[in-house]
Amino acid sequence: MVELDLDEKDLEILRWLDREGEIDVDQLSDELGISTSTIYYRLDNYREKGILKGNVADIDHQKLGFELTAITEIKSEYGPGYEGIADRLTELSGVQSVYFMLGEMSFILISRLRDHEHLQTLIDNIIHTEGVEHSSTHIVLKEFKDESRLLVNYDDDDLAKLIDGTVDE
């Protein structure tokens, strides 16, 4: 467990950043009534603790032309080579997320793809990846929730627990 030592102002700042997707210190200061120097200090603190990583905008993959979402289950032999397999899978074009799993399957990949030709190329590349024994790819027909922002997924009670206690590392 890591002691985060967050207060209500921290939570307000983090929720604003999560909602807006960019750091605009002046706007943040105006809307929350917190001095810009305090915000800069807290942003530096969040970066030191690894809570805040860079400034990333939320790009809509479908509007950009990546209309297919694929979820691929991969089975590989469990052992010391799994990190090498993961490294090779993360390098495949279109792969957005790679998760190492417990259970029957070893990895789950989430991919954003242009079209069926791009999908076929990805499947061919997965099949030919050293260490992959079996794969099964599923195509998403409709997305009901795809929220990359973190804090918007929690209610106020759960977020308040961040202030009151500790969270897992």
Side-chain angles (χ1 to χ4, degrees):
M1 302 281 273
V2 165
E3 184 69 37
L4 289 179
D5 194 28
L6 297 176
D7 62 19
E8 289 187 30
K9 290 276 189 224
D10 289 313
L11 198 52
E12 285 181 56
I13 292 168
L14 291 170
R15 288 181 90 173
W16 189 92
L17 293 171
D18 196 45
R19 183 183 69 243
E20 297 300 322
E22 64 180 324
I23 297 174
D24 183 333
V25 174
D26 292 329
Q27 184 180 359
L28 181 56
S29 174
D30 289 344
E31 287 186 24
L32 299 182
I34 301 171
S35 72
T36 56
S37 61
T38 298
I39 292 172
Y40 279 115
Y41 171 78
R42 290 183 185 226
L43 291 174
D44 287 342
N45 191 26
Y46 304 152
R47 286 188 179 98
E48 275 181 32
K49 291 180 178 180
I51 295 170
L52 182 61
K53 300 176 186 177
N55 305 326
V56 178
D58 188 16
I59 297 173
D60 186 314
H61 62 91
Q62 290 181 327
K63 290 183 180 174
L64 198 56
F66 296 101
E67 296 182 9
L68 292 178
T69 299
I71 301 171
T72 305
E73 300 172 308
I74 294 176
K75 185 173 185 174
S76 66
E77 187 173 318
Y78 182 78
Y82 75 90
E83 289 179 350
I85 298 168
D87 289 343
R88 290 186 286 281
L89 293 170
T90 61
E91 295 300 319
L92 298 178
S93 179
V95 173
Q96 186 172 5
S97 302
V98 176
Y99 301 98
F100 182 59
M101 310 291 292
L102 291 176
E104 188 176 327
M105 292 297 178
S106 308
F107 296 94
I108 297 287
L109 276 59
I110 310 295
S111 305
R112 307 294 186 170
L113 308 160
R114 290 182 313 276
D115 51 29
H116 288 91
E117 184 179 330
H118 193 188
L119 172 64
Q120 185 62 55
T121 300
L122 175 66
I123 291 170
D124 290 344
N125 288 334
I126 290 170
I127 291 170
H128 293 102
T129 298
E130 182 184 344
V132 171
E133 293 178 2
H134 174 76
S135 71
S136 176
T137 299
H138 310 275
I139 302 302
V140 174
L141 295 177
K142 184 174 183 176
E143 293 179 9
F144 291 97
K145 182 175 183 179
D146 178 29
E147 181 57 67
S148 60
R149 298 174 299 163
L150 178 65
L151 300 179
V152 298
N153 295 304
Y154 297 92
D155 61 29
D156 291 339
D157 291 338
D158 282 335
L159 291 175
K161 291 176 185 173
L162 291 174
I163 296 170
D164 298 335
T166 58
V167 293
D168 292 331
E169 251 184 292

